[in-house]
Amino acid sequence: FQAEDGIRDSVASRGLGDVYKRQLLLSATKDKLVDPIRNELICKTIPNITIAQIEGHHELLMESDLIRSTTWNHIDNFLGKYL
């Protein structure tokens, strides 16, 4: 999930591939399609990233009510910090 509202750091972009927006990674800890451990290791190299570990499978918003609620809470908290 990436907030597309213009939230940026004060440092200007250095070109293509430069990640300068704050981002939220919703990491499904039981994902069988994407290795959550490797995904998080790679994403930790991205500046300004927040990683939310959620005990669910690949499609977090298509899971149980509890997992959907947890996912939305992470999104709301992330946006609440920066909007």
Side-chain angles (χ1 to χ4, degrees):
F1 179 80
Q2 182 174 341
E4 289 292 341
D5 64 354
I7 301 170
R8 291 183 170 86
D9 291 338
S10 59
V11 177
S13 174
R14 295 183 301 268
L16 284 175
D18 181 34
V19 179
Y20 57 95
K21 292 184 179 182
R22 291 176 181 93
Q23 296 185 50
L24 172 62
L25 169 66
L26 300 170
S27 180
T29 60
K30 297 178 182 177
D31 199 329
K32 291 186 169 115
L33 297 174
V34 177
D35 183 336
I37 295 170
R38 289 179 189 224
N39 194 27
E40 288 180 32
L41 286 173
I42 292 167
C43 288
K44 284 181 181 179
T45 66
I46 299 171
N48 303 313
I49 193 162
T50 299
I51 299 173
Q53 294 179 327
I54 302 169
E55 287 193 38
H57 295 88
H58 189 71
E59 295 288 343
L60 293 169
L61 293 175
M62 297 179 74
E63 297 241 12
S64 68
D65 289 341
L66 177 61
I67 293 172
R68 277 194 302 276
S69 176
T70 300
T71 302
W72 282 116
N73 284 336
H74 281 289
I75 294 169
D76 289 342
N77 290 336
F78 176 78
L79 292 174
K81 288 181 187 177
Y82 302 111
L83 297 181

